[in-house]
Amino acid sequence: MFLALRELAFARTRFGLMGAVIALIAVLMVLLSGLSSGLVVDGVSGLMRSPVEVVAFSEGTKADSAFTRSEVTTAQRDSWAARDDVADAELLGTSIVNAKNDDGTPVDLTLFGVDPSGFVAPDAADGRPLAAAGEAVLSSSARDEGVALGDVITLDRLGTELTVVGFTADQRTFGHVDIAYVPLPTWQEIHAGLLPGEQPDAGTYDVASVVAVRGVDGALPDLAAADAAAGTSARTITDAFDSSPGYTAELMTMQLIQVFLYAISALVVGAFFTLWTVQRTRELAVMRAIGASTGFLLRDGVLQAAIMLTAAVGVGVAVGLGLGSLLLGTGMPFALQTAPVAGGAALLLGLGLVGASIATVRIASIDPVTALGENR
């Protein structure tokens, strides 16, 4: 400990430069974690913040963008609802549409067709809940697009009009698009492509995208048995996140960038301590010659790395959080969450110590005879 602190003070410029590099890596880690979390929230917050526990797609639907490809029927909903281990089962329709506000401003929306009296329909923090056909409750983030209570949103191509009667308390998005909750019959008419005033076919009100399910007392139903009976393909709501458009590709891209960042941090720290160990070989040999054990020198070297890494990562995380807070509310998909940031900081520390430990293993091969000038 004494030797480690003395060397940190003596070579403070070199350790300071190395610490600055680690701090910058930590800043980048925080920003990447925030961007990754932001993309998740912006992509599937509508699913994350819903009371749905299981989503049943039509059988054979591909996982990619399954919400917009799947089509289930009321008979399949009834099959799920009849099970003893299912508390609630409702049809849920999903589709992404283009629309215009009263003033002609383009508005992109994901329509969620729900039963207004069912468990999927959200409460309205501002305005009132859904009650009648042609009404919509929008994500709170839709206000940023200039939508206000009482506005009439007109869907492109069909000309269907939706009156905004409420906003949710928090952000509800799907595929990076604000969600508009509408009564299921309204969604079914839009899904069928009916123009205003056009008479629906007999099967118009029989279909939806998925069956939204909630188990008894929070326990998951027997998915395999329910699928076999209903002819569906069910997944938990978390597993269904990758069925949101672009979710898997975005998440894998961010994770790959983070993996390379952590690998680079370990290599940078390892390279620094390798050079540092080479430079102080003679001093370490003197320590060996006067009786210092290999274990003592190894512990001293790792402790030295731990002190530098802890300080550098701490400073970097603090700076990263400060910069990240400036990005909140700017429209960028960015969210600061404790778990990803803490996990990233722990990985930086852990991998940095691994790199430093590998470098300081060189100490074990130092010959005390070199302290007597054998190599001169």
Side-chain angles (χ1 to χ4, degrees):
M1 181 70 176
F2 175 76
L3 180 61
L5 293 176
R6 286 292 300 272
E7 287 179 337
L8 284 170
F10 175 76
R12 55 184 174 274
T13 301
R14 277 173 287 186
F15 279 101
L17 289 173
M18 187 58 201
V21 173
I22 299 300
L24 289 174
I25 292 176
V27 171
L28 184 57
M29 178 275 298
V30 173
L31 296 180
L32 286 176
S33 296
L35 183 58
S36 180
S37 298
L39 287 172
V40 171
V41 171
D42 205 50
V44 295
S45 61
L47 301 179
M48 293 171 60
R49 293 162 180 166
S50 75
V52 179
E53 297 171 354
V54 174
V55 177
F57 300 93
S58 58
E59 191 172 19
T61 303
K62 293 183 179 180
D64 183 30
S65 300
F67 279 95
T68 54
R69 293 175 175 171
S70 172
E71 188 172 281
V72 296
T73 65
T74 54
Q76 290 172 310
R77 185 273 314 278
D78 294 340
S79 176
W80 274 90
R83 295 186 57 84
D84 294 335
D85 54 0
V86 172
D88 298 286
E90 299 177 9
L91 291 179
L92 170 65
T94 64
S95 56
I96 298 176
V97 298
N98 298 321
K100 288 184 175 61
N101 202 357
D102 287 331
D103 56 4
T105 302
V107 180
D108 295 328
L109 296 172
T110 295
L111 300 183
F112 270 26
V114 299
D115 179 356
S117 61
F119 76 98
V120 182
D123 293 328
D126 188 12
R128 61 175 177 81
L130 292 175
E135 296 181 343
V137 172
L138 271 60
S139 164
S140 62
S141 52
R143 296 179 186 274
D144 298 334
E145 304 297 326
V147 182
L149 280 177
D151 284 358
V152 176
I153 297 175
T154 304
L155 304 188
D156 292 349
R157 188 175 64 83
L158 295 178
T160 304
E161 295 184 345
L162 302 174
T163 302
V164 179
V165 297
F167 288 96
T168 61
D170 46 20
Q171 179 183 1
R172 302 286 182 98
T173 49
F174 180 83
H176 306 291
V177 180
D178 292 318
I179 292 176
Y181 294 90
V182 299
L184 183 60
T186 299
W187 180 89
Q188 290 168 327
E189 293 170 1
I190 295 169
H191 177 68
L194 294 181
L195 298 174
E198 188 175 355
Q199 293 299 313
D201 295 332
T204 297
Y205 302 112
D206 187 50
V207 299
S209 300
V210 297
V211 179
V213 179
R214 185 166 58 177
V216 176
D217 297 329
L220 287 179
D222 185 342
L223 303 188
D227 281 338
T232 55
S233 176
R235 302 170 207 162
T236 64
I237 191 66
T238 304
D239 291 339
F241 287 172
D242 61 3
S243 297
S244 172
Y247 176 84
T248 302
E250 292 170 351
L251 201 59
M252 288 181 64
T253 300
M254 296 305 301
Q255 289 174 341
L256 183 62
I257 294 172
Q258 289 175 313
V259 167
F260 275 102
L261 178 67
Y262 297 135
I264 290 170
S265 69
L267 290 173
V268 167
V269 174
F272 172 79
F273 277 96
T274 297
L275 294 175
W276 177 241
T277 303
V278 170
Q279 290 176 354
R280 58 202 278 259
T281 298
R282 197 164 303 281
E283 289 79 6
L284 294 174
V286 171
M287 295 288 293
R288 288 290 305 277
I290 63 177
S293 67
T294 299
F296 171 81
L297 296 178
L298 285 171
R299 287 192 300 272
D300 191 78
V302 173
L303 179 61
Q304 195 175 71
I307 293 172
M308 185 200 69
L309 285 167
T310 301
V313 171
V315 171
V317 168
V319 173
L321 292 174
L323 292 175
S325 63
L326 298 177
L327 298 176
L328 297 175
T330 61
M332 180 183 295
F334 190 89
L336 290 174
Q337 296 180 347
T338 302
V341 173
L347 272 175
L348 285 180
L349 285 170
L351 292 174
L353 287 174
V354 169
S357 300
I358 294 173
T360 52
V361 167
R362 180 185 176 87
I363 296 173
S365 63
I366 293 176
D367 187 354
V369 176
T370 58
L372 303 177
E374 181 190 57
N375 294 339
R376 294 183 181 178

